[in-house]
Coordinates of all heavy atoms in Angstrom, one line a residue:
A367 N -2.2 3.0 2.1 CA -3.3 2.9 3.1 C -3.3 1.6 3.8 O -3.4 1.5 5.0 CB -4.6 3.2 2.4
K368 N -3.2 0.5 3.0 CA -3.2 -0.8 3.6 C -1.9 -1.1 4.5 O -2.1 -1.6 5.6 CB -3.2 -1.8 2.4 CG -3.1 -3.3 2.9 CD -3.2 -4.2 1.7 CE -1.9 -4.2 0.9 NZ -1.8 -5.1 -0.2
N369 N -0.8 -0.7 4.0 CA 0.5 -0.9 4.7 C 0.5 -0.2 6.1 O 0.9 -0.7 7.1 CB 1.7 -0.5 3.9 CG 1.9 -1.4 2.7 OD1 1.3 -2.4 2.6 ND2 2.8 -0.9 1.8
L370 N 0.0 1.1 6.1 CA 0.1 1.9 7.3 C -1.0 1.5 8.3 O -0.7 1.5 9.5 CB -0.1 3.4 6.9 CG 1.1 4.1 6.3 CD1 0.8 5.6 6.1 CD2 2.4 3.9 7.1
F371 N -2.2 1.2 7.8 CA -3.3 1.1 8.8 C -4.0 -0.3 8.9 O -4.6 -0.6 9.9 CB -4.4 2.1 8.4 CG -4.0 3.5 8.4 CD1 -3.7 4.2 7.3 CD2 -3.8 4.2 9.6 CE1 -3.3 5.5 7.3 CE2 -3.4 5.5 9.7 CZ -3.1 6.2 8.5
L372 N -3.8 -1.1 7.9 CA -4.7 -2.3 7.8 C -3.8 -3.6 7.8 O -2.9 -3.7 8.6 CB -5.6 -2.3 6.6 CG -6.4 -1.0 6.5 CD1 -7.1 -0.9 5.1 CD2 -7.4 -0.9 7.6
S373 N -4.2 -4.6 7.0 CA -3.5 -5.8 7.0 C -3.6 -6.5 5.7 O -4.2 -5.9 4.8 CB -4.1 -6.8 8.1 OG -5.4 -7.2 7.7
G374 N -3.0 -7.6 5.5 CA -3.0 -8.3 4.2 C -4.3 -9.2 4.1 O -4.4 -9.9 3.1
E375 N -5.2 -9.1 5.0 CA -6.4 -9.9 5.0 C -7.2 -9.5 3.7 O -7.3 -8.4 3.3 CB -7.3 -9.6 6.2 CG -8.7 -10.2 6.2 CD -9.6 -9.6 7.2 OE1 -9.2 -8.6 7.8 OE2 -10.7 -10.1 7.3
R376 N -7.8 -10.5 3.1 CA -8.6 -10.3 1.9 C -10.1 -10.4 2.3 O -10.6 -11.5 2.6 CB -8.3 -11.4 0.8 CG -6.9 -11.2 0.2 CD -6.7 -12.3 -0.8 NE -5.3 -12.2 -1.4 CZ -5.0 -11.5 -2.4 NH1 -6.0 -10.8 -3.0 NH2 -3.8 -11.4 -2.9
S377 N -10.8 -9.3 2.3 CA -12.2 -9.2 2.6 C -12.8 -8.0 2.0 O -12.1 -7.0 1.7 CB -12.4 -9.3 4.1 OG -12.0 -8.0 4.7
Y378 N -14.1 -8.0 1.8 CA -14.8 -6.8 1.2 C -14.7 -5.6 2.2 O -14.5 -4.5 1.8 CB -16.2 -7.1 0.9 CG -16.4 -8.1 -0.2 CD1 -17.0 -9.4 -0.1 CD2 -16.0 -7.7 -1.5 CE1 -17.1 -10.2 -1.1 CE2 -16.1 -8.6 -2.6 CZ -16.7 -9.8 -2.4 OH -16.8 -10.7 -3.5
W379 N -14.8 -5.9 3.5 CA -14.7 -4.8 4.5 C -13.3 -4.2 4.5 O -13.2 -2.9 4.5 CB -15.0 -5.3 5.9 CG -14.6 -4.4 7.0 CD1 -13.6 -4.5 7.8 CD2 -15.1 -3.0 7.2 NE1 -13.4 -3.4 8.6 CE2 -14.4 -2.5 8.3 CE3 -16.2 -2.3 6.6 CZ2 -14.7 -1.2 8.8 CZ3 -16.5 -1.1 7.1 CH2 -15.7 -0.5 8.2
R380 N -12.3 -5.0 4.4 CA -10.9 -4.4 4.4 C -10.7 -3.6 3.1 O -10.1 -2.5 3.2 CB -9.9 -5.6 4.4 CG -8.6 -5.2 5.0 CD -7.6 -4.6 4.0 NE -7.2 -5.6 3.0 CZ -6.7 -5.3 1.8 NH1 -6.6 -4.1 1.4 NH2 -6.4 -6.3 1.0
K381 N -11.2 -4.0 2.0 CA -11.1 -3.3 0.7 C -11.8 -2.0 0.8 O -11.4 -0.9 0.3 CB -11.5 -4.1 -0.5 CG -10.6 -5.3 -0.8 CD -9.2 -4.8 -1.2 CE -9.2 -4.0 -2.5 NZ -7.8 -3.6 -3.0
A382 N -13.0 -2.0 1.4 CA -13.8 -0.8 1.5 C -13.1 0.2 2.5 O -13.1 1.4 2.2 CB -15.2 -1.1 2.1
Q383 N -12.6 -0.3 3.6 CA -11.9 0.6 4.5 C -10.6 1.1 3.8 O -10.3 2.3 4.0 CB -11.5 -0.2 5.8 CG -10.8 0.7 6.8 CD -11.7 1.8 7.3 OE1 -12.6 1.7 8.1 NE2 -11.4 3.1 6.8
E384 N -9.9 0.3 3.1 CA -8.8 0.8 2.3 C -9.1 1.9 1.4 O -8.4 2.9 1.3 CB -8.2 -0.4 1.5 CG -7.0 -0.1 0.6 CD -6.6 -1.2 -0.3 OE1 -6.2 -2.3 0.2 OE2 -6.8 -1.1 -1.5
A385 N -10.2 1.8 0.7 CA -10.7 2.8 -0.3 C -11.0 4.1 0.5 O -10.6 5.2 0.0 CB -11.9 2.4 -1.0
L386 N -11.6 4.1 1.6 CA -11.9 5.3 2.4 C -10.6 6.0 2.8 O -10.5 7.2 2.7 CB -12.8 4.9 3.6 CG -14.2 4.6 3.3 CD1 -14.9 4.1 4.5 CD2 -15.0 5.8 2.7
I387 N -9.7 5.2 3.4 CA -8.4 5.8 3.8 C -7.6 6.4 2.6 O -7.0 7.4 2.7 CB -7.6 4.7 4.6 CG1 -8.3 4.3 5.8 CG2 -6.2 5.3 4.9 CD1 -7.6 3.1 6.6
T388 N -7.7 5.7 1.5 CA -7.1 6.2 0.3 C -7.6 7.6 -0.1 O -6.8 8.5 -0.4 CB -7.3 5.2 -0.9 OG1 -6.7 3.9 -0.6 CG2 -6.8 5.8 -2.2
L389 N -8.9 7.7 0.0 CA -9.5 9.0 -0.4 C -9.0 10.1 0.6 O -8.8 11.3 0.3 CB -11.0 8.9 -0.4 CG -11.5 8.0 -1.5 CD1 -13.0 7.9 -1.4 CD2 -11.1 8.5 -2.9
M390 N -8.9 9.7 1.9 CA -8.4 10.7 2.9 C -7.0 11.1 2.6 O -6.7 12.3 2.7 CB -8.5 10.0 4.3 CG -9.8 9.7 4.8 SD -9.7 8.8 6.5 CE -11.3 8.0 6.6
I391 N -6.1 10.1 2.3 CA -4.7 10.4 2.0 C -4.6 11.4 0.8 O -3.9 12.4 0.9 CB -4.0 9.1 1.7 CG1 -3.8 8.3 3.0 CG2 -2.6 9.4 1.2 CD1 -3.2 6.9 2.8
E392 N -5.3 11.1 -0.2 CA -5.3 11.9 -1.4 C -5.8 13.3 -1.2 O -5.4 14.3 -1.8 CB -6.0 11.2 -2.6 CG -5.3 10.0 -3.2 CD -4.3 10.4 -4.2 OE1 -4.3 11.5 -4.7 OE2 -3.5 9.5 -4.6
A393 N -6.8 13.4 -0.2 CA -7.4 14.7 0.1 C -6.4 15.7 0.8 O -6.5 16.9 0.7 CB -8.6 14.5 0.9
V394 N -5.5 15.1 1.6 CA -4.7 16.0 2.5 C -3.2 15.9 2.1 O -2.4 16.8 2.6 CB -4.9 15.6 3.9 CG1 -6.3 15.7 4.4 CG2 -4.3 14.2 4.3
M395 N -2.7 15.0 1.3 CA -1.3 14.9 0.9 C -1.1 15.1 -0.5 O -1.9 14.7 -1.4 CB -0.7 13.5 1.3 CG -0.8 13.2 2.8 SD 0.0 11.5 3.1 CE -0.6 11.2 4.8
D396 N 0.1 15.7 -0.9 CA 0.4 15.7 -2.3 C 1.1 14.4 -2.7 O 1.4 13.6 -1.9 CB 1.3 17.0 -2.6 CG 2.6 17.0 -1.9 OD1 3.1 15.9 -1.5 OD2 3.1 18.1 -1.6
K397 N 1.3 14.3 -4.0 CA 1.8 13.0 -4.6 C 3.2 12.8 -4.1 O 3.6 11.6 -3.9 CB 1.8 13.1 -6.1 CG 0.4 13.1 -6.7 CD -0.3 11.7 -6.5 CE -1.6 11.7 -7.3 NZ -2.3 10.4 -7.2
Q398 N 4.0 13.8 -3.9 CA 5.4 13.6 -3.4 C 5.4 13.0 -2.0 O 6.1 12.0 -1.7 CB 6.2 14.9 -3.4 CG 7.6 14.7 -3.0 CD 8.4 16.0 -3.0 OE1 8.9 16.5 -2.0 NE2 8.6 16.5 -4.2
R399 N 4.5 13.5 -1.1 CA 4.4 13.0 0.2 C 3.9 11.5 0.2 O 4.4 10.7 1.0 CB 3.5 13.8 1.1 CG 3.4 13.4 2.6 CD 4.7 13.3 3.3 NE 4.6 12.9 4.7 CZ 5.6 12.5 5.4 NH1 6.8 12.4 4.9 NH2 5.4 12.2 6.7

Side-chain angles (χ1 to χ4, degrees):
K368 179 180 67 176
N369 291 349
L370 287 184
F371 298 104
L372 304 172
S373 70
E375 174 196 4
R376 293 179 180 272
S377 69
Y378 289 117
W379 164 249
R380 205 273 294 161
K381 288 299 292 184
Q383 184 60 78
E384 176 190 297
L386 288 173
I387 297 174
T388 294
L389 296 176
M390 295 178 198
I391 291 173
E392 288 277 346
V394 303
M395 298 184 195
D396 60 26
K397 292 291 186 178
Q398 183 178 112
R399 180 57 177 166

